[in-house]
């Protein structure tokens, strides 16, 4: 992995790979995470955890990265039922109740770490968030709280296999934030990226980066072409083990695809 570009909001393939590695690392036992963070040379490191919400925070002289732990797709469904799926007032719009409460439980500890770690007086460290699955949703809520509630700079939010997190107003607020680069990776038939349903007023945030059924990366794919590509993905996987929508959610697959395209320059049409 090349050096992280700490002070850009533009899409950066190497940053994407680094943050994907951080999102994947969050699934490991604490001892493994600590060992890897030490090997990567960060001088600040801390876990925050409460009632099922987990994240780790690392920092050096240039940047601070917050990585939220995700969960298995079937476990995530527990967050998408009953009272948790209700939209409540949140930063910039209405958001998923369960995701919002998940961030609220660790918010005081997370804010304390950010204040302690951002100790470079001459050039304050840039702040970055990442997460996969449930972790992606929690990271998105956390960024919105920092931007909407505190107007605190956040350079980048890179998510992988992210569920929808809030309503149209929330998405509009996030997407209109020109101070933060928000990039959302979707792998073909990843089922988690299609819940909660749009019929319940949920919308996605950020600039989508889509991996096709033949493992190409694109930012310019219409809903109809995307629908056809997902059908192709299901046909290609006939006879293999496990539902395609769950297999495509695997974080290791996301890392492999991002590494394959790390040198690609991306643009988005308006």
């Amino acid at each position: 992995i090349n050096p992280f570009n700490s002070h850009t909001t533009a899409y950066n393939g190497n940053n994407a790979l680094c943050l994907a590695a951080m999102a994947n690392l969050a699934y490991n036992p604490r001892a493994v995470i600590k060992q890897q963070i030490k090997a990567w040379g960060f001088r600040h490191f801390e876990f925050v955890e409460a009632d099922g919400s987990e994240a780790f925070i690392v920092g050096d002289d240039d940047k601070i990265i917050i990585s939220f732990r995700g969960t298995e797709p079937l476990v995530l469904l527990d967050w998408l039922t009953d009272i948790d799926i209700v939209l409540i007032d949140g930063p910039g719009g209405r958001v998923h109740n369960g995701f919002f409460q998940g961030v609220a439980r660790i918010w005081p500890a997370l804010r304390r770490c950010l204040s302690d770690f951002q100790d470079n007086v001459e050039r304050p460290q840039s702040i970055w968030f990442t997460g996969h699955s449930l972790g992606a949703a929690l990271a998105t809520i956390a960024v919105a709280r920092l931007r909407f509630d505190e107007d605190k700079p956040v350079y980048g939010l890179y998510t992988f296999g992210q569920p929808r997190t809030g309503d149209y107003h929330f998405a509009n607020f996030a997407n209109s934030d020109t101070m933060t680069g928000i990039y959302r990776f979707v792998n073909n038939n990843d089922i988690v990226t299609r819940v909660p349903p749009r019929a319940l007023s949920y919308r996605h945030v950020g600039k989508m980066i889509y991996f096709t059924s033949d493992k190409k990366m694109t930012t310019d794919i219409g809903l109809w072409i995307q629908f056809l590509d997902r059908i192709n993905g299901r046909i290609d996987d006939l006879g293999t083990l496990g539902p395609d929508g769950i297999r495509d959610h695997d974080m290791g697959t996301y890392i492999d695809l991002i590494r394959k395209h790390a040198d690609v320059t991306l643009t988005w049409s308006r």
Side-chain angles (χ1 to χ4, degrees), residues 44 46 64 111-119 125:
H44 292 310
E46 189 163 338
I64 298 169
R111 289 296 292 111
R112 175 184 56 79
C113 285
L114 280 177
S115 297
D116 290 346
F117 289 9
Q118 204 167 36
D119 55 5
Q125 292 97 328

Side-chain angles (χ1 to χ4, degrees), residues 30-263:
R30 289 193 175 194
V32 174
I33 297 175
K34 287 181 178 179
Q35 182 179 22
Q36 184 60 66
I37 293 303
K38 183 178 180 180
W40 283 339
F42 289 95
R43 62 185 178 88
H44 292 310
F45 172 69
E46 189 163 338
F47 286 103
V48 290
E49 178 182 4
D51 299 327
S53 298
E54 299 179 40
F56 68 82
I57 307 173
V58 299
D60 56 25
D61 291 337
D62 297 315
K63 61 189 172 295
I64 298 169
I65 299 174
I66 300 93
S67 177
F68 281 85
R69 182 186 177 97
T71 189
E72 296 298 322
L74 296 180
V75 176
L76 180 62
L77 294 179
D78 292 338
W79 289 69
L80 303 176
T81 57
D82 301 328
I83 193 171
D84 280 340
I85 204 171
V86 173
L87 287 163
I88 63 170
D89 290 337
R94 295 175 66 77
V95 298
H96 183 282
N97 179 45
F99 298 155
F100 183 85
Q101 301 304 332
V103 173
R105 287 192 284 268
I106 61 175
W107 190 248
L110 190 152
R111 289 296 292 111
R112 175 184 56 79
C113 285
L114 280 177
S115 297
D116 290 346
F117 289 9
Q118 204 167 36
D119 55 5
N120 189 333
V121 177
E122 294 184 359
R123 191 186 193 193
Q125 292 97 328
S126 58
I127 298 174
W128 300 77
F129 282 81
T130 190
H132 168 249
S133 191
L134 169 64
L138 299 182
T140 299
I141 296 289
V143 169
R145 289 196 64 170
L146 284 177
R147 297 294 298 128
F148 186 83
D149 295 344
E150 304 182 30
D151 196 26
K152 190 172 183 63
V154 176
Y155 275 74
L157 166 65
Y158 285 62
T159 66
F160 314 92
Q162 177 181 347
R164 297 185 180 102
T165 309
D167 69 358
Y168 167 81
H169 298 288
F170 176 77
N172 188 56
F173 161 71
N175 294 339
S176 64
D177 180 13
T178 59
M179 302 298 292
T180 304
I182 303 177
Y183 304 100
R184 175 175 57 88
F185 288 85
V186 176
N187 181 27
N188 191 233
N189 276 314
D190 186 341
I191 191 172
V192 172
T193 65
R194 294 188 297 236
V195 295
R198 291 173 60 89
L200 295 181
S201 299
Y202 279 88
R203 297 293 184 272
H204 269 305
V205 306
K207 296 176 179 175
M208 183 178 73
I209 302 166
Y210 181 80
F211 294 113
T212 65
S213 57
D214 56 356
K215 305 186 187 309
K216 295 179 181 178
M217 184 168 71
T218 181
T219 62
D220 187 16
I221 185 167
L223 291 177
W224 176 245
I225 300 301
Q226 190 174 342
F227 172 74
L228 293 177
D229 183 65
R230 283 173 165 163
I231 291 177
N232 287 334
R234 293 191 184 280
I235 293 173
D236 290 342
D237 284 317
L238 288 177
T240 59
L241 295 175
D244 186 40
I246 293 178
R247 245 192 334 272
D248 283 355
H249 187 61
D250 178 67
M251 188 60 216
T253 301
Y254 275 101
I255 290 178
D256 291 342
L257 291 168
I258 293 167
R259 180 180 289 111
K260 178 181 178 181
H261 299 283
D263 295 331

